[in-house]
Amino acid sequence: MTPCLLVNFIVKDFVVFLGRPFEITENTILSEQNGGNITMENTMRTIRFHEYGEPTDVLCLDEVAIPEPGPGRIRVRVCACGLNPVDWVTCQGHFAGQLPLPRGIGLDVAGIVDAIGEGVTDVAIGDSVLGAADFMNGSSAGASDQAIMYYWFRMPAGLDFVQAAALPMAVETAYRGIDTLGVKSGQTVLVHGAGTTVGFAAVQIALMRGARVIATAGPTYADKLRSMGALVTSYGDGMVERVTELAKQPVDLALDTAPISGSLKDLVQIVNGHPEHVLTVSDFATAAELGVRTSYGELHTARYDVVGDFAQFAADGKFTIPVAKTFELKEWRSAVQIIQSGGARGKLILLPDSD
């Protein structure tokens, strides 16, 4: 392979992101767990699962027939694939009974177009693009040598494949959350969990709208968030008092982008007891009890339409998603183990075209 140049985190966001009627075309398994060696010219490697369970137990590297793009789809040679929490909960059975197995992982994709389906006129063979793998319509996804894409944007000059593969789902989820809350200039907004990729994106988007942003985050990205213009404090015990002291005025809105942490009651208190001023992308059960808004329970429009704009912002140095580490495709197990240990500290990216 020619080397490439060197991008909702919640399941229900993922359904909003890609949900639509679908047909399933099964790839044929030619061999499983083959150590990354392609033995036939018309096959590719893909990471997927054949039964539900813990990702490290059920995922494997398969060799399968290369898929062909249907109408309105394109195929890319994958140069970078971003991993998301949705990949792991999908392995654990969130779509059980809805989609046949086997099923692939990897939604965020950046790559080079190598086949075009009927009706596609906005890209050509050889174009560099970023977007989302067509998870719903096939048994492989973005963590593959080649992937069918559901939506895409041309990559702007100055943006590399790793940066591009970090963008799609973080941008869509964060933008939709900020937009649903109605964040506008002059408001004071709390982003809880700003060290996550969605939270990191949300801080930047709120600042772009002219909001005054308070962020809760650990030490890894606290200084970077401050340099962007956010007021930063830690999460955990005493958060309400620390945020109140930083704010010096009422906090209008709060976006919860942290993993489930039992913090929603504190966020409601921070916004002066108005649960409708809080939106969570993770803790749906507690949200229902408290009257907090969620990123899936209302009539939301998926905002992948803005991903191309944020790709340009990233290329111009005006927006970023932190990338913690990259891995060759055959090193996927190491990436999964890091994510499941809670030690990712940023986006993990697979590089199929580097093997």
Side-chain angles (χ1 to χ4, degrees), residues 53-103:
E54 290 304 310
T56 50
D57 295 333
V58 299
L59 286 171
C60 60
L61 189 64
D62 285 346
E63 189 174 311
V64 303
I66 297 172
E68 295 295 329
R73 301 289 185 267
I74 63 172
R75 189 182 68 206
V76 298
R77 189 175 81 244
V78 178
C79 297
C81 173
L83 298 175
N84 293 289
V86 68
D87 294 317
W88 322 131
V89 292
T90 302
C91 289
Q92 292 163 344
H94 181 78
F95 291 113
Q98 301 177 50
L99 297 173
L101 298 178
R103 185 72 22 199

Side-chain angles (χ1 to χ4, degrees), residues 120-132:
V120 174
T121 60
D122 59 341
V123 292
I125 302 296
D127 285 349
S128 297
V129 297
L130 76 154

Side-chain angles (χ1 to χ4, degrees), residues 187-191 212 214 243-244 247-254 267 270-272 274 277:
Q187 291 180 317
T188 298
V189 179
L190 170 65
V191 177
R212 181 169 175 261
I214 300 172
V243 170
T244 301
K248 308 292 186 187
Q249 64 188 57
V251 175
D252 299 298
L253 301 165
L267 300 188
I270 287 169
V271 297
N272 298 307
H274 298 289
H277 293 176

Side-chain angles (χ1 to χ4, degrees), residues 179-249:
D179 206 48
T180 300
L181 275 173
V183 173
K184 54 182 183 252
S185 180
Q187 291 180 317
T188 298
V189 179
L190 170 65
V191 177
H192 178 53
T196 66
T197 56
V198 173
F200 202 85
V203 167
Q204 295 171 84
I205 294 167
L207 288 168
M208 287 177 176
R209 291 192 173 200
R212 181 169 175 261
V213 179
I214 300 172
T216 65
T220 302
Y221 293 112
D223 287 343
K224 179 65 175 176
L225 290 162
R226 290 189 183 99
S227 72
M228 291 174 173
L231 301 171
V232 183
T233 187
S234 58
Y235 38 78
D237 292 343
M239 181 179 69
V240 174
E241 292 75 20
R242 290 193 301 275
V243 170
T244 301
E245 176 62 24
L246 270 180
K248 308 292 186 187
Q249 64 188 57

